[in-house]
Amino acid sequence: MAKDETQGFRLIGTRPDRPDGLDKVTGRARYGADISAPGMLHAAVVRSPHAHARIVKIDASKALALPGVKAVITRADLPTGLTGEDWNLQENTLAGEKALYDGHAVAAVAATTKLIAQDAAKLVEVTYEVLPHVTDVDAAMAAGAPVIRAGTADHSVPEGMHPNVVKYIDFGHGDVEAGFAAADLVRAQSYKTEATHQGYIEPHACMAQMGSDDRGEMWVCTQGHWYIRRMSAAVLGVDASKLRVTPSEIGGGFGGKTTIFMEPLALALSKKAGGRPVKLVMSRSEVLRATGPTASASMDVKLGMKKDGTLTAAKVMFRMQGGPYIGSSPVGEALSCALACYDVPNVMHEGYEVLANRPKAAAYRAPGSPMAAFAVESLLDEMCRELGLDPLKVRLKNAAREGTKSSYGPTYNRIGLVESLEATMAHKNLLAPLGPNQGRGVASGFWFNHGGETSVSLAIGEDGTVTVSVGTPDIGGSRASIALMTGECLGIPYEKVRVNVVETGALGVNEPTHGSRATFASGLAAVEAARQAMAEMCRRAAAEWDIDPEAVEWRDGAAHPAGPNAGKFPPMSIAEIGAKMGGSGGPISGHHEVTAGGFGASFGVHVVDVEVDPETGRTTVLRYLVVQDAGRAIHPAYVEGQYQGGAAQGIGWALNEEYVYGADGRLQNTVFLDYRIPVASDLPMIDTVIVEVPNPGHPYGVRGVGETGITPPLPALANAIHAATGARLRSLPMSPPKVLAAIKAKAGG
Amino acid sequence: MVEVNLWSGLRRFADGQTVVTVEAQTLRQMFAGLIAAHPGLEPVIKAGVSVSVNGVIETNLSAPLPEGAEIYLIQRIKGG
């Protein structure tokens, strides 16, 4: 079932040039910080140097006295009375009574230059009463831990828990104790993962303008400008329709740009400065200190297995912190993904969300799934080794397939894990010989994918070219894939379709590009819009030919008379119809809006070979294979890019990346020199295999492909390092000092 | 009548049941039936849940529920 690039499609499955390629390689693409306007001011943010502190007083008089300073805002400038997630967003945008983490914004300044704004920010005098803090998830749950915000817990939390425990989730099916009793081998282990940042290359940036009438505009790098509009409007207490938000080109997001962190500050500063535009661009340090990383996690896993590898029962308990606000950690997602790859008759999941003095977590590529996979797939590997079983064969034996009752409840429809495992087992990388200090690790991974609110318009040009307007910013090639699907549907060349990401005034509400949904959902809507336009073009041709519209069919980019009584007319091309449409009834367009369901889950399997230096503990990735079900790869090069990107991020998470907090609760590694993401020289060429098990919920069979790829690397690396060294690491990152310590501990033991 | 599978944490709001039977032809009627029978579920439903119908997330509240459909309430999941 591996990808066959000769399936009868004209465009789908081809690899044309990307529409944003020239702009990006020549520097013409306009990112968030590239937008400027006459009279524009620059902003800087005053941030808390404390992890937890009461804000006693803010004195901005010295800052305001600095020449060039036009406005200073504090929480007192924002409306009161917000509740729920709106309050969380407002509180995170600008602290109220307390600063809740190192880097929490407490005031903002707008001035005529960036340097003046930065100098003025230093002149804002904030008096703090420093409070005890806690940053570790287990410590935050323990008796005596500092209370971050009493009364936050929802109805689900059992009595007697620490007030920092704010949510409890449990679900499962079968009888886990009976399942463990039926097993030949039962093992339980605990695992920890540190918070990691999405690490997008482009820091958050926006330029905003707002008048005294509360009407405003914003240009911003974001994954979802309707979300930015709604959230900013809520924080500022204005109607969403008063804001018009235009997305810039985006230099990476990975989930971290689906929410607001500082955008309302630019609007509020603009309003206070008499409506002058305000640009606000974060530094890397601000990005790491004050925007959403993913959660840190502490996890317990127990599995039961028969001697032949059959899983009989599984039980997981996850604890995750996502900062100081409820609802920010992905503990629910992590639980739902933990055992999703397998057909296990008896499963139980429990999880706690915990508050801590860290930044408000944001979504990060398959939120929660990588941590869950690290725990479950590591223990599965340990048990395979203990029983002398092939880890890939055990995964295949237990693999979820069509008709399997999923670990989170529903029965699976058509899914592609079995096909992905079979393609993996047939790959040449598994035959590569391994030398001393080298080892091979495998792991499976899962992500749900998503559909969501989607609105797309399509217009036929006077020359027969087509413009598609979508509301999902292009992060991973969606403009190209939507152009291919539209061209395929209309029977016209790829080059005749332009896809634009348009502002909030141009379409109905669109959810962000999140949940691996852009090619699936905007693509689905574009195809439906194209079909509408096609039907109208058939009607226009029928009118000119004076025949019944039902006697006209569309193929090869033209209307054709069809049927015995249609008459003999030469085909009327889309260009001919476009040229005449002003006189044949007016502009021709198509539009489709939908809350898209029918998205198909995507499964993947990774195999990694590593070499571990026994003297330093450094891990070198020798070769890496990603095999994943794409449903249908519309533009295979972009699909491969998503697979490789997910693997690269996962390798960084596994081996090096972590948030390092000092005893004072301050983040110590706030630049990329100290927060080490992988660079090109760290990685080999990542091999990919696209498996295609079409999703019946999409006209061309698309499944989202953006997220699953980050899930298996964490356990695959842990399993490979164990194979190379005999040392089992159960906490991330597996950085050289930790690996070396584990090797020494094993040798000593 | 349709059978709705709840996640086990919702049992406390549904008299200890994880499968609740309600009279409903659509998702909208199903939610109304769940809330009428078990008012404790209202805040959870209003906070946002996803519904899987025969293994597919259904978002159209007016969509007819097939006879004998497998229906699960699951926690709302979006992603990055």
Side-chain angles (χ1 to χ4, degrees), chain A residues 720-747:
Chain A
I721 290 171
H722 177 268
T725 65
R728 174 62 65 175
L729 279 92
R730 300 192 183 92
S731 79
L732 297 184
M734 296 175 287
S735 54
K738 283 168 73 174
V739 173
L740 189 59
I743 293 171
K744 285 182 175 172
K746 185 166 188 312

PDB file of all heavy atoms in Angstrom, chain A residues 720-747:
ATOM      1  N   ALA A 720      16.565   3.028  20.884  1.00  0.00           N
ATOM      2  CA  ALA A 720      17.836   2.864  20.171  1.00  0.00           C
ATOM      3  C   ALA A 720      19.022   3.053  21.114  1.00  0.00           C
ATOM      4  O   ALA A 720      20.011   2.314  21.034  1.00  0.00           O
ATOM      5  CB  ALA A 720      17.905   3.860  19.009  1.00  0.00           C
ATOM      6  N   ILE A 721      18.922   4.032  21.992  1.00  0.00           N
ATOM      7  CA  ILE A 721      20.020   4.265  22.946  1.00  0.00           C
ATOM      8  C   ILE A 721      20.165   3.055  23.877  1.00  0.00           C
ATOM      9  O   ILE A 721      21.275   2.619  24.206  1.00  0.00           O
ATOM     10  CB  ILE A 721      19.780   5.577  23.730  1.00  0.00           C
ATOM     11  CG1 ILE A 721      19.966   6.768  22.786  1.00  0.00           C
ATOM     12  CG2 ILE A 721      20.699   5.672  24.940  1.00  0.00           C
ATOM     13  CD1 ILE A 721      19.543   8.105  23.359  1.00  0.00           C
ATOM     14  N   HIS A 722      19.041   2.487  24.272  1.00  0.00           N
ATOM     15  CA  HIS A 722      19.108   1.275  25.097  1.00  0.00           C
ATOM     16  C   HIS A 722      19.776   0.147  24.329  1.00  0.00           C
ATOM     17  O   HIS A 722      20.635  -0.587  24.854  1.00  0.00           O
ATOM     18  CB  HIS A 722      17.709   0.852  25.548  1.00  0.00           C
ATOM     19  CG  HIS A 722      17.717  -0.424  26.330  1.00  0.00           C
ATOM     20  ND1 HIS A 722      17.538  -1.663  25.742  1.00  0.00           N
ATOM     21  CD2 HIS A 722      17.933  -0.667  27.648  1.00  0.00           C
ATOM     22  CE1 HIS A 722      17.630  -2.604  26.667  1.00  0.00           C
ATOM     23  NE2 HIS A 722      17.863  -2.028  27.831  1.00  0.00           N
ATOM     24  N   ALA A 723      19.409   0.016  23.050  1.00  0.00           N
ATOM     25  CA  ALA A 723      20.002  -1.057  22.245  1.00  0.00           C
ATOM     26  C   ALA A 723      21.504  -0.851  22.084  1.00  0.00           C
ATOM     27  O   ALA A 723      22.270  -1.816  22.026  1.00  0.00           O
ATOM     28  CB  ALA A 723      19.314  -1.102  20.879  1.00  0.00           C
ATOM     29  N   ALA A 724      21.922   0.413  22.040  1.00  0.00           N
ATOM     30  CA  ALA A 724      23.343   0.701  21.831  1.00  0.00           C
ATOM     31  C   ALA A 724      24.159   0.560  23.109  1.00  0.00           C
ATOM     32  O   ALA A 724      25.337   0.217  23.060  1.00  0.00           O
ATOM     33  CB  ALA A 724      23.487   2.123  21.270  1.00  0.00           C
ATOM     34  N   THR A 725      23.535   0.870  24.240  1.00  0.00           N
ATOM     35  CA  THR A 725      24.316   0.974  25.496  1.00  0.00           C
ATOM     36  C   THR A 725      23.873   0.006  26.582  1.00  0.00           C
ATOM     37  O   THR A 725      24.602  -0.191  27.557  1.00  0.00           O
ATOM     38  CB  THR A 725      24.169   2.397  26.079  1.00  0.00           C
ATOM     39  OG1 THR A 725      22.788   2.596  26.465  1.00  0.00           O
ATOM     40  CG2 THR A 725      24.566   3.465  25.060  1.00  0.00           C
ATOM     41  N   GLY A 726      22.680  -0.506  26.472  1.00  0.00           N
ATOM     42  CA  GLY A 726      22.127  -1.309  27.562  1.00  0.00           C
ATOM     43  C   GLY A 726      21.516  -0.461  28.664  1.00  0.00           C
ATOM     44  O   GLY A 726      20.942  -0.978  29.614  1.00  0.00           O
ATOM     45  N   ALA A 727      21.645   0.851  28.542  1.00  0.00           N
ATOM     46  CA  ALA A 727      21.099   1.749  29.569  1.00  0.00           C
ATOM     47  C   ALA A 727      19.721   2.245  29.131  1.00  0.00           C
ATOM     48  O   ALA A 727      19.540   2.685  27.994  1.00  0.00           O
ATOM     49  CB  ALA A 727      22.029   2.940  29.772  1.00  0.00           C
ATOM     50  N   ARG A 728      18.756   2.180  30.022  1.00  0.00           N
ATOM     51  CA  ARG A 728      17.387   2.614  29.724  1.00  0.00           C
ATOM     52  C   ARG A 728      17.161   3.987  30.353  1.00  0.00           C
ATOM     53  O   ARG A 728      17.222   4.136  31.572  1.00  0.00           O
ATOM     54  CB  ARG A 728      16.397   1.607  30.276  1.00  0.00           C
ATOM     55  CG  ARG A 728      14.952   1.992  30.170  1.00  0.00           C
ATOM     56  CD  ARG A 728      14.473   2.163  28.733  1.00  0.00           C
ATOM     57  NE  ARG A 728      14.489   0.921  27.958  1.00  0.00           N
ATOM     58  CZ  ARG A 728      14.022   0.831  26.701  1.00  0.00           C
ATOM     59  NH1 ARG A 728      13.516   1.899  26.097  1.00  0.00           N
ATOM     60  NH2 ARG A 728      14.082  -0.313  26.046  1.00  0.00           N
ATOM     61  N   LEU A 729      16.892   4.978  29.512  1.00  0.00           N
ATOM     62  CA  LEU A 729      16.610   6.325  30.030  1.00  0.00           C
ATOM     63  C   LEU A 729      15.108   6.544  30.031  1.00  0.00           C
ATOM     64  O   LEU A 729      14.439   6.325  29.017  1.00  0.00           O
ATOM     65  CB  LEU A 729      17.314   7.386  29.184  1.00  0.00           C
ATOM     66  CG  LEU A 729      18.795   7.532  29.575  1.00  0.00           C
ATOM     67  CD1 LEU A 729      19.676   6.632  28.741  1.00  0.00           C
ATOM     68  CD2 LEU A 729      19.237   8.975  29.488  1.00  0.00           C
ATOM     69  N   ARG A 730      14.610   6.975  31.170  1.00  0.00           N
ATOM     70  CA  ARG A 730      13.164   7.170  31.310  1.00  0.00           C
ATOM     71  C   ARG A 730      12.807   8.625  31.597  1.00  0.00           C
ATOM     72  O   ARG A 730      11.703   8.917  32.044  1.00  0.00           O
ATOM     73  CB  ARG A 730      12.610   6.260  32.416  1.00  0.00           C
ATOM     74  CG  ARG A 730      12.843   4.782  32.132  1.00  0.00           C
ATOM     75  CD  ARG A 730      12.060   3.871  33.064  1.00  0.00           C
ATOM     76  NE  ARG A 730      12.380   2.483  32.775  1.00  0.00           N
ATOM     77  CZ  ARG A 730      13.338   1.779  33.375  1.00  0.00           C
ATOM     78  NH1 ARG A 730      14.067   2.347  34.325  1.00  0.00           N
ATOM     79  NH2 ARG A 730      13.564   0.524  33.043  1.00  0.00           N
ATOM     80  N   SER A 731      13.749   9.520  31.369  1.00  0.00           N
ATOM     81  CA  SER A 731      13.406  10.944  31.451  1.00  0.00           C
ATOM     82  C   SER A 731      14.086  11.669  30.299  1.00  0.00           C
ATOM     83  O   SER A 731      15.196  11.312  29.882  1.00  0.00           O
ATOM     84  CB  SER A 731      13.816  11.539  32.794  1.00  0.00           C
ATOM     85  OG  SER A 731      15.195  11.816  32.826  1.00  0.00           O
ATOM     86  N   LEU A 732      13.394  12.656  29.780  1.00  0.00           N
ATOM     87  CA  LEU A 732      13.924  13.454  28.669  1.00  0.00           C
ATOM     88  C   LEU A 732      14.383  14.806  29.179  1.00  0.00           C
ATOM     89  O   LEU A 732      13.828  15.312  30.153  1.00  0.00           O
ATOM     90  CB  LEU A 732      12.827  13.653  27.605  1.00  0.00           C
ATOM     91  CG  LEU A 732      12.311  12.393  26.919  1.00  0.00           C
ATOM     92  CD1 LEU A 732      11.302  12.758  25.835  1.00  0.00           C
ATOM     93  CD2 LEU A 732      13.453  11.568  26.331  1.00  0.00           C
ATOM     94  N   PRO A 733      15.352  15.409  28.475  1.00  0.00           N
ATOM     95  CA  PRO A 733      16.025  14.915  27.276  1.00  0.00           C
ATOM     96  C   PRO A 733      17.118  13.907  27.618  1.00  0.00           C
ATOM     97  O   PRO A 733      17.643  13.924  28.734  1.00  0.00           O
ATOM     98  CB  PRO A 733      16.616  16.185  26.670  1.00  0.00           C
ATOM     99  CG  PRO A 733      16.934  17.036  27.857  1.00  0.00           C
ATOM    100  CD  PRO A 733      15.818  16.780  28.833  1.00  0.00           C
ATOM    101  N   MET A 734      17.454  13.091  26.628  1.00  0.00           N
ATOM    102  CA  MET A 734      18.544  12.129  26.803  1.00  0.00           C
ATOM    103  C   MET A 734      19.831  12.809  26.349  1.00  0.00           C
ATOM    104  O   MET A 734      20.461  12.422  25.365  1.00  0.00           O
ATOM    105  CB  MET A 734      18.233  10.859  26.006  1.00  0.00           C
ATOM    106  CG  MET A 734      16.979  10.166  26.542  1.00  0.00           C
ATOM    107  SD  MET A 734      16.434   8.746  25.587  1.00  0.00           S
ATOM    108  CE  MET A 734      15.765   9.517  24.126  1.00  0.00           C
ATOM    109  N   SER A 735      20.189  13.846  27.099  1.00  0.00           N
ATOM    110  CA  SER A 735      21.345  14.670  26.761  1.00  0.00           C
ATOM    111  C   SER A 735      22.621  13.906  27.127  1.00  0.00           C
ATOM    112  O   SER A 735      22.579  12.961  27.930  1.00  0.00           O
ATOM    113  CB  SER A 735      21.266  15.991  27.524  1.00  0.00           C
ATOM    114  OG  SER A 735      21.113  15.732  28.897  1.00  0.00           O
ATOM    115  N   PRO A 736      23.763  14.295  26.569  1.00  0.00           N
ATOM    116  CA  PRO A 736      24.995  13.548  26.837  1.00  0.00           C
ATOM    117  C   PRO A 736      25.271  13.303  28.320  1.00  0.00           C
ATOM    118  O   PRO A 736      25.610  12.166  28.693  1.00  0.00           O
ATOM    119  CB  PRO A 736      26.071  14.405  26.163  1.00  0.00           C
ATOM    120  CG  PRO A 736      25.354  15.035  25.007  1.00  0.00           C
ATOM    121  CD  PRO A 736      23.966  15.322  25.533  1.00  0.00           C
ATOM    122  N   PRO A 737      25.148  14.293  29.211  1.00  0.00           N
ATOM    123  CA  PRO A 737      25.445  13.999  30.619  1.00  0.00           C
ATOM    124  C   PRO A 737      24.522  12.927  31.203  1.00  0.00           C
ATOM    125  O   PRO A 737      24.973  12.079  31.990  1.00  0.00           O
ATOM    126  CB  PRO A 737      25.217  15.352  31.322  1.00  0.00           C
ATOM    127  CG  PRO A 737      25.296  16.374  30.252  1.00  0.00           C
ATOM    128  CD  PRO A 737      24.833  15.717  29.001  1.00  0.00           C
ATOM    129  N   LYS A 738      23.248  12.947  30.809  1.00  0.00           N
ATOM    130  CA  LYS A 738      22.322  11.952  31.349  1.00  0.00           C
ATOM    131  C   LYS A 738      22.609  10.563  30.789  1.00  0.00           C
ATOM    132  O   LYS A 738      22.550   9.558  31.492  1.00  0.00           O
ATOM    133  CB  LYS A 738      20.874  12.365  31.065  1.00  0.00           C
ATOM    134  CG  LYS A 738      20.400  13.469  32.010  1.00  0.00           C
ATOM    135  CD  LYS A 738      19.094  14.088  31.565  1.00  0.00           C
ATOM    136  CE  LYS A 738      17.905  13.208  31.762  1.00  0.00           C
ATOM    137  NZ  LYS A 738      16.646  13.923  31.447  1.00  0.00           N
ATOM    138  N   VAL A 739      22.932  10.517  29.506  1.00  0.00           N
ATOM    139  CA  VAL A 739      23.246   9.217  28.901  1.00  0.00           C
ATOM    140  C   VAL A 739      24.524   8.659  29.518  1.00  0.00           C
ATOM    141  O   VAL A 739      24.599   7.467  29.866  1.00  0.00           O
ATOM    142  CB  VAL A 739      23.376   9.353  27.365  1.00  0.00           C
ATOM    143  CG1 VAL A 739      23.882   8.046  26.752  1.00  0.00           C
ATOM    144  CG2 VAL A 739      22.041   9.750  26.750  1.00  0.00           C
ATOM    145  N   LEU A 740      25.517   9.531  29.684  1.00  0.00           N
ATOM    146  CA  LEU A 740      26.781   9.083  30.275  1.00  0.00           C
ATOM    147  C   LEU A 740      26.554   8.566  31.695  1.00  0.00           C
ATOM    148  O   LEU A 740      27.089   7.510  32.086  1.00  0.00           O
ATOM    149  CB  LEU A 740      27.787  10.243  30.283  1.00  0.00           C
ATOM    150  CG  LEU A 740      29.217   9.896  30.660  1.00  0.00           C
ATOM    151  CD1 LEU A 740      29.799   8.850  29.707  1.00  0.00           C
ATOM    152  CD2 LEU A 740      30.097  11.151  30.651  1.00  0.00           C
ATOM    153  N   ALA A 741      25.758   9.298  32.464  1.00  0.00           N
ATOM    154  CA  ALA A 741      25.469   8.852  33.831  1.00  0.00           C
ATOM    155  C   ALA A 741      24.750   7.506  33.819  1.00  0.00           C
ATOM    156  O   ALA A 741      25.036   6.627  34.653  1.00  0.00           O
ATOM    157  CB  ALA A 741      24.618   9.904  34.543  1.00  0.00           C
ATOM    158  N   ALA A 742      23.837   7.322  32.859  1.00  0.00           N
ATOM    159  CA  ALA A 742      23.112   6.051  32.789  1.00  0.00           C
ATOM    160  C   ALA A 742      24.046   4.902  32.401  1.00  0.00           C
ATOM    161  O   ALA A 742      23.943   3.792  32.933  1.00  0.00           O
ATOM    162  CB  ALA A 742      21.972   6.174  31.774  1.00  0.00           C
ATOM    163  N   ILE A 743      24.981   5.189  31.490  1.00  0.00           N
ATOM    164  CA  ILE A 743      25.960   4.150  31.095  1.00  0.00           C
ATOM    165  C   ILE A 743      26.826   3.773  32.300  1.00  0.00           C
ATOM    166  O   ILE A 743      27.057   2.589  32.586  1.00  0.00           O
ATOM    167  CB  ILE A 743      26.842   4.660  29.928  1.00  0.00           C
ATOM    168  CG1 ILE A 743      25.995   4.841  28.664  1.00  0.00           C
ATOM    169  CG2 ILE A 743      27.995   3.695  29.673  1.00  0.00           C
ATOM    170  CD1 ILE A 743      26.742   5.544  27.525  1.00  0.00           C
ATOM    171  N   LYS A 744      27.264   4.792  33.032  1.00  0.00           N
ATOM    172  CA  LYS A 744      28.131   4.524  34.197  1.00  0.00           C
ATOM    173  C   LYS A 744      27.365   3.781  35.279  1.00  0.00           C
ATOM    174  O   LYS A 744      27.895   2.874  35.928  1.00  0.00           O
ATOM    175  CB  LYS A 744      28.678   5.851  34.745  1.00  0.00           C
ATOM    176  CG  LYS A 744      29.785   6.438  33.866  1.00  0.00           C
ATOM    177  CD  LYS A 744      30.340   7.716  34.467  1.00  0.00           C
ATOM    178  CE  LYS A 744      31.524   8.219  33.631  1.00  0.00           C
ATOM    179  NZ  LYS A 744      31.980   9.548  34.067  1.00  0.00           N
ATOM    180  N   ALA A 745      26.106   4.179  35.474  1.00  0.00           N
ATOM    181  CA  ALA A 745      25.298   3.506  36.500  1.00  0.00           C
ATOM    182  C   ALA A 745      25.112   2.036  36.144  1.00  0.00           C
ATOM    183  O   ALA A 745      25.159   1.162  37.012  1.00  0.00           O
ATOM    184  CB  ALA A 745      23.947   4.206  36.632  1.00  0.00           C
ATOM    185  N   LYS A 746      24.904   1.780  34.873  1.00  0.00           N
ATOM    186  CA  LYS A 746      24.713   0.391  34.451  1.00  0.00           C
ATOM    187  C   LYS A 746      26.001  -0.406  34.645  1.00  0.00           C
ATOM    188  O   LYS A 746      25.985  -1.538  35.127  1.00  0.00           O
ATOM    189  CB  LYS A 746      24.286   0.348  32.976  1.00  0.00           C
ATOM    190  CG  LYS A 746      23.968  -1.056  32.524  1.00  0.00           C
ATOM    191  CD  LYS A 746      23.260  -1.096  31.230  1.00  0.00           C
ATOM    192  CE  LYS A 746      22.794  -2.520  30.928  1.00  0.00           C
ATOM    193  NZ  LYS A 746      23.820  -3.524  31.123  1.00  0.00           N
ATOM    194  N   ALA A 747      27.124   0.217  34.274  1.00  0.00           N
ATOM    195  CA  ALA A 747      28.406  -0.471  34.431  1.00  0.00           C
ATOM    196  C   ALA A 747      28.699  -0.721  35.911  1.00  0.00           C
ATOM    197  O   ALA A 747      29.171  -1.794  36.292  1.00  0.00           O
ATOM    198  CB  ALA A 747      29.521   0.364  33.807  1.00  0.00           C
TER     199      ALA A 747
END
